Every structure is written in structure tokens, then in C-alpha cells.
């Protein structure tokens, strides 16, 4: 099957069809939050790690899944010492164990006005790209996004 992404826990297979993802979650009795019409989120474990994460599915204006967003539950940041930098290091290690070294990595400013350098990593699989980076948008935040490469009709 093309364009799939496996969630370890709950054990489900996501596809690039947003409506189908919602149906899979419902049929599997996964409790998810409908944030907006085109965005849902649910707790999960991924990448072969016993780490609590959240999965956000961004549906966009069509039936297609725009991207899968992975982020920490808010409780992670309530623990003293936990921040975006620490999380980036932890998730980077998990991704490297699962996929090997990133296809590209380094640091980059958000714009030519930005003097701060932010780490980024990118992994490529046959079906999807994983982008993992830090950025200061409204305070330093970690971003981990999965984009399917090709859409199959």
C-alpha cells in the first residue's frame, strides 16, 4: 500500500486520505479531538519508542492529508527542565535509531534578519519526508512534520 504511516500505539495505519484517517480512528475507537474541521489530534506512541506524543492530522481544504504533525503533550513541558531544546535532542535520537542519520541537517536562521541559528533535520523514505526543526515563532518551539511525497488517486 502506498502512502501509509504506521502509528505504534494505538496500532493503526494512516493514509494520505484525511477522511479515511478519521474513519480509521473512529473504527479503532481512538479518542481524538476535533480541533477544527480540518484538524484532529490524538495521543500516540511512534517510531518504536515508548514516548508519549501527540499526532495532529492536517486535512486542508481537500480530502487529502496535508501533513502529519508530531508534538509533545502539554504535560511534558510542565516538568522542570523540559523544553523544546531537550525535546529536540530526545526526538532526534529516536528518529536516528528508527531511520538512521538524517539525509540533511544543520542550522538555519528563520529569515535573513534572524541572527539566531536553529537546528533542522530531514529524513527521506520512499513514501514520506520527515522535517524536524526548532524555530522561534512565539517562543522557541519544536516542529516535526511528515509529508507524503506522492498522491495516488
Amino acid at each position: 500500500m502506498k502512502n501509509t504511516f504506521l502509528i505504534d500505539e494505538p496500532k493503526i495505519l494512516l493514509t494520505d486520505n484525511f477522511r479515511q484517517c478519521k474513519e480509521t480512528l473512529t473504527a479503532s475507537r481512538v479518542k481524538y479531538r476535533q480541533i477544527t474541521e480540518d484538524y484532529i489530534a490524538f495521543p500516540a506512541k511512534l517510531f518504536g519508542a515508548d514516548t508519549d506524543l501527540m499526532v495532529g492530522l492536517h486535512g486542508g481544504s481537500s480530502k487529502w492529508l496535508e501533513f502529519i504533525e508530531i508534538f509533545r503533550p502539554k504535560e511534558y513541558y510542565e516538568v522542570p527542565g523540559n523544553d523544546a531544546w531537550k525535546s529536540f535532542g530526545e526526538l532526534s535520537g529516536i528518529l536516528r535509531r528508527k531511520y538512521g542519520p538524517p539525509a540533511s541537517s544543520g542550522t538555519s536562521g528563520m529569515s535573513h534578519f534572524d541572527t539566531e541559528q536553529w537546528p533542522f533535520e530531514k529524513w527521506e523514505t520512499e513514501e514520506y519526508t520527515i522535517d524536524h526543526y526548532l524555530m522561534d515563532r512565539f517562543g522557541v518551539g519544536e516542529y516535526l512534520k511528515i509529508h507524503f511525497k506522492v498522491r495516488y488517486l
Side-chain angles (χ1 to χ4, degrees):
M1 180 180 282
K2 296 287 186 185
N3 285 354
T4 59
F5 182 77
L6 180 64
I7 304 293
D8 297 337
E9 191 179 310
K11 191 79 157 176
I12 55 173
L13 196 61
L14 299 177
T15 69
D16 62 358
N17 183 302
F18 182 69
R19 282 182 267 158
Q20 189 176 36
C21 287
K22 283 179 69 173
E23 290 168 5
T24 298
L25 292 170
T26 301
S28 300
R29 293 188 164 87
V30 174
K31 292 182 181 177
Y32 64 86
R33 288 190 57 215
Q34 183 88 37
I35 310 301
T36 67
E37 184 179 327
D38 298 327
Y39 178 58
I40 58 178
F42 61 94
K45 294 190 179 189
L46 306 152
F47 311 122
D50 188 29
T51 302
D52 293 328
L53 297 168
M54 296 293 293
V55 174
L57 304 178
H58 291 261
S61 59
S62 70
K63 72 175 187 173
W64 300 111
L65 186 63
E66 292 295 320
F67 63 91
I68 300 168
E69 172 186 30
I70 312 299
F71 56 99
R72 296 284 189 161
K74 67 180 180 184
E75 293 80 13
Y76 174 85
Y77 296 103
E78 293 170 356
V79 175
N82 284 358
D83 60 17
W85 289 95
K86 180 179 179 185
S87 180
F88 184 88
E90 291 170 353
L91 290 180
S92 176
I94 289 168
L95 290 166
R96 287 168 188 263
R97 282 189 292 282
K98 173 78 175 175
Y99 297 101
S104 62
S105 63
T107 59
S108 176
M110 289 172 35
S111 70
H112 62 280
F113 299 110
D114 192 359
T115 58
E116 190 80 35
Q117 293 293 300
W118 303 100
F120 71 87
E121 304 172 307
K122 179 183 287 248
W123 284 265
E124 300 276 348
T125 74
E126 189 176 307
E127 297 181 48
Y128 50 84
T129 299
I130 300 172
D131 291 309
H132 185 214
Y133 56 96
L134 289 180
M135 182 173 81
D136 187 355
R137 191 164 170 216
F138 305 106
V140 178
E142 179 181 26
Y143 299 86
L144 200 166
K145 297 179 180 180
I146 299 168
H147 297 269
F148 288 115
K149 291 182 175 181
V150 178
R151 293 209 170 113
Y152 296 90
L153 301 176

